Amino acid sequence: KAEKGKTLPDVYHEMMDWMEIALERKGKQEGRSYLSLENIQDEYHAIAEADSLERSCFTLDEQALIMYRQMLYKASHPLERTSEAVLKDLYKQQDFQTGEAFYLSIDNRIDSLGLPERLTRKLHETSRKRREIEIENRSRKWLRPILSAIRQTPTLIAVDIKSLYGDESLLNLLRGVGYAVEPVMQE
């Protein structure tokens, strides 16, 4: 229950702090250690920075047109699931190659929106920058503490599904330094 006067980010940060505490406590009960790769403020800052791209790169009229065309696209493709759902299914099947191809094809949808060429180019560039901020920069930052942890003991690494795909994904970074990566999914 949110307290009066708290903003949504405040409530979100508080919830994530409690989740961190619960995960650490559960790990200790099972005789395991827990390492957080970043604090919630770092994650929230990356997401906020990525979100601000659209506001800073596009006028309000352009944002409205993009949103309108995205809604038209979704309306004409009602059976299309969210990218996260497809990626999760492919992960469960341990089909990283198809997952990688699907993740990278998400940008192709931009071309299906029927936007003016200038906006399409700008949207592709913004999408690339967003992926760099939200995924790639964070994955590179996480690599050193992950390598330190996995050199000491077998390690479970839990990250957002999007962190597993793309050229600078956590999977590719770990594979690049010689590690085999095995998916674990618990229903």
Side-chain angles (χ1 to χ4, degrees):
K1 182 177 178 183
E3 293 178 28
K4 191 174 187 174
K6 285 192 177 182
T7 66
L8 187 56
D10 291 337
V11 173
Y12 180 73
H13 288 156
E14 203 170 277
M15 179 185 76
M16 294 307 290
D17 287 342
W18 281 106
M19 287 176 68
E20 292 275 336
I21 291 167
L23 286 169
E24 188 171 9
R25 186 177 297 147
K26 179 72 171 165
K28 284 182 181 178
Q29 288 172 350
E30 294 180 3
R32 301 174 189 270
S33 62
Y34 172 79
L35 169 67
S36 179
L37 296 173
E38 66 185 356
N39 63 43
I40 190 62
Q41 288 77 18
D42 291 339
E43 178 185 7
Y44 188 74
H45 176 74
I47 293 168
E49 182 182 350
D51 285 344
S52 73
L53 282 174
E54 278 121 27
R55 290 189 300 275
S56 64
C57 292
F58 298 102
T59 66
L60 285 176
D61 287 341
E62 290 171 335
Q63 290 176 51
L65 177 60
I66 292 167
M67 183 181 289
Y68 175 72
R69 294 291 174 85
Q70 287 172 331
M71 299 315 259
L72 286 177
Y73 179 86
K74 288 179 182 179
S76 64
H77 298 83
L79 298 178
E80 186 173 292
R81 299 175 306 151
T82 65
S83 59
E84 287 82 7
V86 173
L87 292 172
K88 185 176 178 184
D89 287 346
L90 292 169
Y91 175 84
K92 285 180 184 178
Q93 298 164 20
Q94 297 187 23
D95 188 351
F96 290 109
Q97 186 174 3
T98 304
E100 181 89 15
F102 176 81
Y103 180 75
L104 297 175
S105 76
I106 291 171
D107 277 351
N108 294 340
R109 294 182 195 160
I110 293 171
D111 297 329
S112 301
L113 297 177
L115 294 167
E117 179 63 29
R118 181 185 61 77
L119 273 183
T120 299
R121 275 195 317 273
K122 209 160 132 179
L123 197 53
H124 275 294
E125 180 63 22
T126 303
S127 178
R128 187 196 60 72
K129 286 180 184 175
R130 179 179 197 98
R131 189 169 38 251
E132 183 180 326
I133 292 166
E134 280 187 313
I135 307 300
E136 296 169 0
N137 291 347
R138 292 167 66 209
S139 292
R140 285 190 292 272
K141 181 178 155 191
W142 298 341
L143 190 59
R144 179 173 277 148
I146 287 172
L147 291 175
S148 177
I150 61 181
R151 286 182 183 126
Q152 297 172 24
T153 184
T155 305
L156 168 70
I157 303 166
V159 295
D160 182 283
I161 194 84
K162 292 178 188 174
S163 298
L164 304 179
Y165 299 107
D167 292 338
E168 293 286 320
S169 69
L170 195 51
L171 280 181
N172 285 337
L173 293 174
L174 287 167
R175 287 178 177 148
V177 293
Y179 284 91
V181 181
E182 181 180 320
V184 176
M185 177 63 73
Q186 189 173 23
E187 295 291 327

